[in-house]
Amino acid sequence: MTDTRHSLPRVTKAVVPAAGLGTRFLPATKATPKEMLPIVDKPAIQYVVEEAVDAGLNDVLMVTGRSKRSIEDHFDRAYELEEALRAKDDTERLRSVRESSELAQVHYVRQGEPRGLGHAVLCADAHVAGEPFAVLLGDDLIGASEGLLKRMIDVQAERGGSVVALMEVEPEQVSLYGCAAIESTDDPDVVRVTDLVEKPPQESAPSRWAIIGRYVCAPEVFGVLRDTPPGRGGEIQLTDALRELAGRRPDQGGPVHGVLFRGQRYDTGNRLDYLRTVVEFACARPDLAAEFVPWLREFAAAQDPGDLPG
Ligand code: G1P
């Protein structure tokens, strides 16, 4: 699709890498993809697809791997279940079951071997077919009301190249993220990315601005990824490919901009943050909060630090 104002192709497709082994959640993830772990009563990956759809992207490509079939089932119709709910006149649950199958056009490609995020994105090449596209990582949940992805798509349409979402983190946290060296632009929320390093040690990090899991990539990223050698952790890193694009001219797939995000982001990638996310989401749910919040307060007040296990 071409935007008549700028004649740059507009982003229409989202890529969601979902091939990770989920080792941090074993044994729960032995037979269940980590993307299907519930945040209250909805699998984490559904929030991600909803965010893409809210930003106007209803073509979603999941990059999956072995034992991820339940993701496909989740975004498909479930006739027997729907029939059973209809027979019971349980319209509310019927609506919730159908919702995920009607959200978006979800497509699947398999990564084959786990060679890193950059390699997962490379698997989307044929589907994306030469247009800029969004990448959403399932470990980061960002409220659709924040409008982050929409803003990134707009910035990409105005400035071309690629766009990453950046969030300021504590110095001791930078080594967990891709980290950006930045220069300001005429827009206070948009920066020019001049360098990127995947998970740098705190002492040599170029800044405290970390890439959170939202990207809009120029299609030139595929060519770069093909030539990107394994980096941090022996994996092909998307950060390394974007670093190369950051130094390029616009006619060669550059530059890279960052949208500075100061809103609410939930990390579900490790057990502690996952628990915090579930509790926060439950406290924000109108159907649960009235009972859950007073219980939580009482429960927390009754915890004596001396009684903690371990
Ligand atoms: C990935 C990226 C990293 C980014 C992070 C955001 O790392 O490689 O650059 O900052 O996601 O969550 P992972 O957390 O998958 O190791």
Side-chain angles (χ1 to χ4, degrees):
M1 205 198 304
T2 300
D3 184 308
T4 46
R5 283 172 309 161
H6 309 285
S7 76
L8 280 170
R10 230 5 237 190
V11 176
T12 59
K13 290 176 181 163
V15 173
V16 180
L21 296 175
T23 44
R24 281 184 279 195
F25 287 89
L26 283 170
T29 47
K30 185 178 172 191
T32 304
K34 71 167 175 176
E35 293 79 8
M36 290 300 292
L37 295 179
I39 310 293
V40 185
D41 50 11
K42 217 195 267 185
I45 196 144
Q46 189 174 335
Y47 292 95
V48 175
V49 173
E50 286 172 355
E51 186 193 334
V53 170
D54 275 327
L57 314 179
N58 66 359
D59 182 311
V60 178
L61 177 72
M62 305 250 177
V63 184
T64 66
R66 287 167 62 78
S67 42
K68 301 281 180 168
R69 201 173 312 146
S70 60
I71 299 181
E72 295 188 31
D73 288 342
H74 184 71
F75 291 102
D76 195 4
R77 296 289 297 273
Y79 289 102
E80 279 176 28
L81 180 57
E82 287 178 29
E83 244 351 282
L85 292 168
R86 200 171 289 119
K88 284 202 266 180
D89 266 339
D90 194 340
T91 47
E92 186 46 36
R93 290 207 176 84
L94 181 60
R95 191 196 53 74
S96 78
V97 161
R98 292 199 61 163
E99 201 177 22
S100 54
S101 62
E102 290 168 351
L103 257 180
Q105 263 186 286
V106 186
H107 308 269
Y108 302 89
V109 62
R110 283 200 177 206
Q111 189 177 359
E113 3 165 26
R115 292 172 56 202
L117 177 59
H119 179 249
V121 170
L122 194 46
C123 298
D125 189 4
H127 184 81
V128 163
E131 291 179 11
F133 61 99
V135 177
L136 293 87
L137 305 189
D139 285 351
D140 295 288
L141 296 189
I142 289 159
S145 62
E146 303 281 359
L148 172 64
L149 191 57
K150 172 115 196 355
R151 174 92 175 104
M152 294 172 70
I153 292 169
D154 289 345
V155 169
Q156 199 279 336
E158 282 161 23
R159 299 175 188 257
S162 303
V163 180
V164 295
L166 296 174
M167 189 166 182
E168 202 166 22
V169 299
E170 294 303 323
E172 55 279 11
Q173 297 259 300
V174 285
S175 59
L176 301 173
Y177 297 94
C179 186
I182 58 174
E183 275 172 9
S184 53
T185 67
D186 51 357
D187 184 328
D189 285 339
V190 179
V191 292
R192 173 79 186 258
V193 172
T194 56
D195 198 9
L196 285 167
V197 193
E198 178 68 5
K199 306 201 173 96
Q202 186 179 332
E203 320 75 70
S204 59
S207 76
R208 286 167 52 187
W209 289 97
I211 305 179
I212 51 172
R214 299 293 177 271
Y215 308 77
V216 176
C217 294
E220 285 82 357
V221 77
F222 294 119
V224 177
L225 279 169
R226 247 176 244 116
D227 292 337
T228 299
R232 180 97 198 171
E235 298 192 331
I236 298 172
Q237 297 292 349
L238 181 57
T239 305
D240 293 344
L242 288 167
R243 175 176 200 255
E244 160 70 22
L245 290 178
R248 287 198 178 180
R249 296 200 316 256
D251 59 339
Q252 296 175 335
V256 177
H257 286 93
V259 168
L260 304 184
F261 180 65
R262 298 187 171 86
Q264 190 69 45
R265 160 187 176 253
Y266 302 91
D267 186 349
T268 62
N270 63 67
R271 290 175 304 175
L272 254 188
D273 287 325
Y274 171 78
L275 286 173
R276 290 189 188 109
T277 304
V278 172
V279 170
E280 282 198 42
F281 274 52
C283 291
R285 279 275 294 260
D287 56 334
L288 297 171
E291 271 188 68
F292 184 64
V293 174
W295 171 83
L296 184 63
R297 241 185 236 124
E298 227 171 273
F299 179 77
Q303 296 305 300
D304 181 340
D307 292 344
L308 291 178

